[in-house]
């Protein structure tokens, strides 16, 4: 069965969670997902680092074709703004798909989201 909810974890080069530049990039992504009217939730967990505070992850629903298309578009535009940006999409079962690189095409993002959602590449497989 395909997943319909993904945890979206932003990356920015070698910056660690909690770095102000990464926090700003994550906030931008969160705002763009909301602007696109995609249903999102913030998941907060205690920091496992040697620092106080919380780490937050963004969970996005992708249960309809329109939601998937919106998610692909927002991710693609967000990644294009800075070559150091990356995203990790995590399914509820822990399966992860990472999107990173220079000049990432929308088709590449679409394929990565489809893999993260567990959609078969070949209709005969599924």
């Amino acid at each position: 069965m395909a997943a319909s909810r993904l945890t979206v974890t932003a990356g920015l080069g070698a910056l660690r969670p909690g770095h102000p530049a990464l926090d700003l990039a994550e906030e931008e992504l969160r705002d763009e997902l909301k602007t696109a009217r995609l249903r999102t939730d913030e998941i907060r967990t205690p920091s496992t680092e040697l620092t106080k505070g919380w780490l937050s992850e963004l969970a996005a629903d992708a249960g309809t074709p329109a939601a998937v298309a919106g998610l692909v578009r927002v991710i693609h535009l967000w990644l294009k703004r800075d070559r150091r940006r990356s995203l990790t999409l995590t399914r509820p079962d822990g399966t992860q798909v990472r999107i990173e690189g220079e000049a990432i095409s929308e088709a590449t993002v679409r394929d990565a989201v489809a893999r993260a959602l567990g959609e078969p590449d070949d209709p005969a497989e599924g």
Side-chain angles (χ1 to χ4, degrees):
M1 177 180 223
S4 64
R5 187 165 180 80
L6 298 172
T7 301
V8 180
T9 308
L12 186 59
L15 299 181
R16 298 178 71 154
H19 190 281
L22 179 55
D23 289 346
L24 189 61
E26 289 173 339
E27 184 178 334
E28 182 184 301
L29 177 61
R30 187 177 302 110
D31 289 347
E32 289 182 16
L33 290 168
K34 288 180 183 176
T35 298
R37 298 184 181 197
L38 295 169
R39 185 170 169 218
T40 59
D41 294 311
E42 195 167 348
I43 302 167
R44 295 183 64 194
T45 56
S47 175
T48 56
E49 303 293 323
L50 299 176
T51 60
K52 296 179 181 179
W54 295 84
L55 297 176
S56 64
E57 293 180 313
L58 186 63
D61 283 333
T64 66
V68 172
L71 183 62
V72 166
R73 183 76 178 142
V74 167
I75 289 172
H76 178 245
L77 291 173
W78 184 83
L79 287 169
K80 282 178 49 174
R81 288 195 194 100
D82 188 329
R83 293 178 182 183
R84 300 173 300 155
R85 288 183 176 183
S86 64
L87 273 177
T88 301
L89 304 171
T90 308
R91 291 196 328 218
D93 68 3
T95 302
Q96 293 186 329
V97 175
R98 186 166 173 85
I99 308 169
E100 63 183 336
E102 294 185 24
I104 298 168
S105 70
E106 190 167 341
T108 298
V109 174
R110 188 178 316 110
D111 291 345
V113 169
R115 280 194 322 275
L117 291 170
E119 297 173 6
D121 294 331
D122 184 326
E125 293 179 21

